[in-house]
Amino acid sequence: MAKNTNLDELDHKILQIIQNDSQKTLKEISEQVNLSLSPTHDRIKRMESDGYIQGYVALLNRKKLNLGLLVHCQVTLEKQNRKNFSEFEAAILNFPEVTSCHLVSGNFDYYLNVVSADVESYNQFYQEKLAVLPSVAHISTLFVMDEIKQTTALPV
């Protein structure tokens, strides 16, 4: 469990509850941490304003939305300089198919997660959007065969 000196045990318990089910009522959270409503509400508001809680979202089932193909892409740029990084990152931000993008160390520059309906639609994304970016030198594509673990929960 990650610990931060600015958060106490009750804060961690509240965070665990919220990240497992953000639709829990204040009353339910208060009961689970054995604290009255007002202090629980104050703690949640403080963690929101301090940036520990960044927002509340619904987790969608990508397969039910016809986005069953999950692809990992390892992208290498022609030259590793500020201009190429900035241009690549600006382009990626406009691609809704890309669900995450990380600048990494190692044999390639970026690690992308891409969702798509199928191989054909991924190929269209690859040919018409990703591979045509001016600074891209090489893309290695990995198709996910089976998803063993997928979570947004952090070990708090």
Side-chain angles (χ1 to χ4, degrees):
M1 177 189 303
K3 291 289 181 185
N4 184 308
T5 56
N6 296 329
L7 300 176
D8 65 17
E9 192 66 32
L10 281 177
D11 291 332
H12 282 274
K13 286 181 182 177
I14 291 169
L15 289 174
Q16 288 172 348
I17 293 165
I18 290 172
Q19 80 172 344
N20 287 329
D21 183 358
S22 67
Q23 291 191 315
K24 289 258 186 201
T25 65
L26 186 57
K27 182 176 187 249
E28 291 171 322
I29 297 168
S30 296
E31 289 171 356
Q32 288 184 355
V33 297
N34 200 24
L35 195 63
S36 63
L37 289 173
S38 184
T40 303
H41 179 263
D42 292 345
R43 285 173 176 267
I44 292 170
K45 288 300 174 192
R46 177 182 44 81
M47 289 189 287
E48 289 172 347
S49 66
D50 289 350
Y52 292 101
I53 300 171
Q54 294 180 321
Y56 300 90
V57 299
L59 300 177
L60 306 180
N61 183 327
R62 65 180 172 78
K63 292 177 182 176
K64 289 204 176 265
L65 294 167
N66 194 30
L67 296 169
L69 184 65
L70 178 59
V71 182
H72 299 292
C73 299
Q74 300 168 344
V75 179
T76 306
L77 302 184
E78 287 177 359
K79 291 183 181 175
Q80 289 69 33
N81 59 45
R82 196 172 301 227
K83 179 181 180 283
N84 285 351
F85 288 149
S86 294
E87 289 176 357
F88 179 81
E89 291 168 13
I92 289 299
L93 291 174
N94 292 311
F95 298 159
E97 301 91 343
V98 177
T99 58
S100 68
C101 174
H102 303 277
L103 177 63
V104 297
S105 62
N107 297 330
F108 52 92
D109 299 311
Y110 289 93
Y111 190 83
L112 279 59
N113 284 341
V114 179
V115 294
S116 185
D118 50 37
V119 174
E120 292 79 14
S121 58
Y122 169 76
N123 189 41
Q124 183 178 1
F125 163 78
Y126 176 91
Q127 290 182 10
E128 296 176 9
K129 293 183 179 180
L130 190 57
V132 298
L133 294 176
S135 60
V136 171
H138 180 75
I139 303 167
S140 179
T141 299
L142 304 149
F143 294 101
V144 173
M145 303 298 289
D146 193 10
E147 203 168 11
I148 310 307
K149 181 179 180 180
Q150 171 64 33
T151 183
T152 61
L154 298 177
V156 294

